[in-house]
Amino acid sequence: MAALPVYRWNLAPDGLATLRQLRALGLRPGGQDVAAQLERPRRRRGPLVAYLYRIDRARPVRPMTPGRAAALAKAMLARRTCPVCRRDAGYCIPPTLGMCVTCHDSAPALAA
């Protein structure tokens, strides 16, 4: 297996892009393998790594279909629905609370 070329931050050659850069261009990797690796050094930890893909092999992003839009809306509704009061909170319920903020604030304090 050949090793990937590694480039330092902001020094990658033209024609390569990260996933976010491809998405901003309206593209997706389209099944291609990673072409290179981008590393950003950090002081006390290992470097941040981003994978680079070739822009010329990227494909256009698939359009949103009505079925996918409905499935996404249903999933987001499930994330916004409080399991205690069963109301749409209007925001995604924090997993750390497990319920909407109103139910959490009105819940009796646990005996310690």
Side-chain angles (χ1 to χ4, degrees):
M1 180 174 160
L4 290 175
V6 177
Y7 299 103
R8 293 198 36 112
W9 200 253
N10 290 329
L11 296 178
D14 292 336
L16 297 177
T18 64
L19 283 175
R20 286 187 181 200
Q21 291 169 338
L22 285 178
R23 185 55 63 135
L25 295 171
L27 301 172
R28 61 186 171 96
Q32 66 173 300
D33 291 331
V34 174
Q37 184 172 315
L38 190 67
E39 288 188 354
R40 178 178 166 209
R42 296 190 290 182
R43 290 187 181 169
R44 293 188 175 97
R45 295 183 281 177
L48 287 175
V49 176
Y51 296 111
L52 299 171
Y53 300 90
R54 291 183 48 174
I55 295 175
D56 59 343
R57 290 188 182 173
R59 295 182 177 165
V61 175
R62 294 186 196 119
M64 182 67 74
T65 63
R68 288 175 67 194
L72 182 60
K74 186 176 178 182
M76 291 306 295
L77 179 63
R79 290 184 65 192
R80 291 191 317 260
T81 303
C82 176
V84 176
C85 65
R86 304 308 253 170
R87 287 186 295 185
D88 184 355
Y91 55 88
C92 288
I93 305 294
T96 55
L97 297 180
M99 60 185 80
C100 67
V101 176
T102 307
C103 290
H104 182 266
D105 290 345
S106 64
L110 297 175

